[in-house]
């Protein structure tokens, strides 16, 4: 049984990615994580962290092979929940799948709901139809993938079953950096929750540039960590007491509209 923690520590890992090179990417992240200055409860990696944002589904892995096993190893080594997405071949269908792996090697997953049509993602991958929330060390998390950020209904916090942290893993290009930063703030404010967004840096083989701007925001949309435009790791510590006190002082969630999502 995992202990409930008042203060949760989250490592944001902003990295350049080796294009379609799983071995190089996993080795690079392993080195970065080994250098973390303190233990953490959660490790957040970018979208498609093992390949870059590729439409080459020949690189999609069946579950429980190289990348899944690596995530299990990292979760166990760091005694942390590890989150990141990669291309998965599940019964002949391909998904941009976000995996959340615990130290005991169990995991939960969520498939990217909103596929980036302008990048032809919808021609190669299948959209997810179930939103994931999971509990970890007394906190409720809702992890989502990149383009999902633009669609607030899918991420809406529900008064009947509220989460504490909204997390986005991304390959979000520099040309739309303003939208990335603005929408992350909006999600924090409207959902009265902590928000973590982890993006990549560098450039990919499609000619797209990424400047990172990974961030951790509090429930007011105020930055707790800004990672800038270079490879870096940052640890943030968030307080459940502070979150509960704010929600009590400004109880907006009960006034939200009721709705139903039909996928």
């Amino acid at each position: 049984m995992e202990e409930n923690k008042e203060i949760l520590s989250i490592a944001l890992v902003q990295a350049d990615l080796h294009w379609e090179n799983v071995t190089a990417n996993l080795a690079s992240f392993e080195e970065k994580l080994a250098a973390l200055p303190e233990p953490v409860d959660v490790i957040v990696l970018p979208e498609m962290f093992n390949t870059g944002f590729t439409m080459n589904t020949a690189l999609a892995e069946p579950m429980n092979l190289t990348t899944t096993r690596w995530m299990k190893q990292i979760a166990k080594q760091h005694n942390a929940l590890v989150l990141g997405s990669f291309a998965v071949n599940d019964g002949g269908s391909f998904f941009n799948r976000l995996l959340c792996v615990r130290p005991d090697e169990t995991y939960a997953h969520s498939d990217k709901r909103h596929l980036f049509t302008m990048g032809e993602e919808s021609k190669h991958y299948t959209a997810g139809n179930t939103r994931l929330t999971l509990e970890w060390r007394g906190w409720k998390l809702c992890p989502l993938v990149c383009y999902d950020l633009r669609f607030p209904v899918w991420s809406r916090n529900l008064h009947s079953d509220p989460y504490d942290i909204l997390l986005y893993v991304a390959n979000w290009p520099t040309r739309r950096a303003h939208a990335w930063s603005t929408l992350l703030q909006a999600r924090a404010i409207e959902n009265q929750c902590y928000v973590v967004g982890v993006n990549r840096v560098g450039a990919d083989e499609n000619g797209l540039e990424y400047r990172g701007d990974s961030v951790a925001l509090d429930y007011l949309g105020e930055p707790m960590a800004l990672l800038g435009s270079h490879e870096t790791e940052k640890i943030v510590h968030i307080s459940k007491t502070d979150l509960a006190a704010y929600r009590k002082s400004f109880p907006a969630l009960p006034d939200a509209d009721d709705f139903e999502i039909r996928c």
Side-chain angles (χ1 to χ4, degrees):
M1 177 78 63
E2 286 291 339
E3 63 175 319
N4 291 343
K5 302 194 73 171
E6 151 63 17
I7 302 295
L8 198 74
S9 57
I10 305 175
L12 290 68
V13 186
Q14 179 171 280
D16 198 352
L17 301 179
H18 302 274
W19 183 250
E20 297 187 346
N21 189 331
V22 175
T23 300
N25 283 312
L26 299 188
S28 175
F29 279 110
E30 193 163 344
E31 183 177 344
K32 295 177 192 303
L33 294 172
L36 291 176
E38 62 182 86
V40 296
D41 299 300
V42 181
I43 295 169
V44 188
L45 309 175
E47 178 186 23
M48 288 195 177
F49 69 90
N50 65 340
T51 58
F53 188 61
T54 179
M55 299 301 104
N56 181 6
T57 54
L59 295 172
E61 299 178 15
M63 292 296 292
N64 210 30
L65 286 184
T66 303
T67 301
T68 307
R69 292 174 183 174
W70 179 86
M71 293 181 76
K72 289 180 177 181
Q73 171 191 318
I74 293 298
K76 187 174 182 179
Q77 285 178 351
H78 291 270
N79 189 31
L81 182 73
V82 180
L83 294 84
S85 88
F86 61 100
V88 168
N89 181 341
D90 190 342
S93 295
F94 303 105
F95 298 90
N96 184 345
R97 178 162 291 176
L98 194 158
L99 216 61
C100 307
V101 184
R102 307 176 186 92
D104 65 0
E105 299 189 359
T106 62
Y107 59 82
H109 77 265
S110 175
D111 296 323
K112 186 176 182 179
R113 169 63 182 166
H114 300 93
L115 302 177
F116 189 54
T117 305
M118 288 165 280
E120 299 192 342
E121 188 179 16
S122 57
K123 293 183 178 180
H124 301 277
Y125 296 94
T126 299
N129 57 17
T130 304
R131 193 182 82 172
L132 173 68
T133 57
L134 71 157
E135 292 192 16
W136 178 241
R137 294 180 177 166
W139 292 72
K140 193 75 167 289
L141 287 66
C142 180
L144 299 170
V145 183
C146 200
Y147 196 41
D148 288 335
L149 175 60
R150 285 187 176 269
F151 304 95
V153 172
W154 189 245
S155 62
R156 189 73 172 117
N157 212 345
L158 302 175
H159 178 58
S160 60
D161 185 27
Y163 54 73
D164 306 305
I165 314 169
L166 191 55
L167 304 108
Y168 292 93
V169 303
N171 274 212
W172 195 286
T174 299
R175 66 180 68 168
R176 290 183 286 276
H178 177 69
W180 165 257
S181 299
T182 303
L183 292 172
L184 287 169
Q185 285 187 304
R187 297 296 87 82
I189 295 166
E190 71 194 7
N191 293 302
Q192 296 194 305
C193 68
Y194 293 102
V195 168
V196 171
V198 174
N199 193 22
R200 64 161 294 180
V201 295
D204 65 21
E205 292 299 310
N206 295 315
L208 294 174
E209 295 184 355
Y210 305 85
R211 76 178 198 191
D213 292 333
S214 298
V215 65
L217 304 168
D218 69 10
Y219 36 79
L220 296 170
E222 297 286 350
M224 302 180 71
L226 297 168
L227 274 63
S229 59
H230 303 288
E231 285 196 296
T232 188
E233 304 83 47
K234 182 79 75 173
I235 298 172
V236 295
H237 302 88
I238 60 176
S239 165
K240 179 167 277 192
T241 298
D242 290 349
L243 175 62
Y246 173 68
R247 286 178 170 175
K248 183 177 180 180
S249 70
F250 192 75
L253 288 178
D255 293 331
D257 301 307
D258 289 328
F259 63 90
E260 177 184 354
I261 297 175
R262 292 190 289 271
C263 297

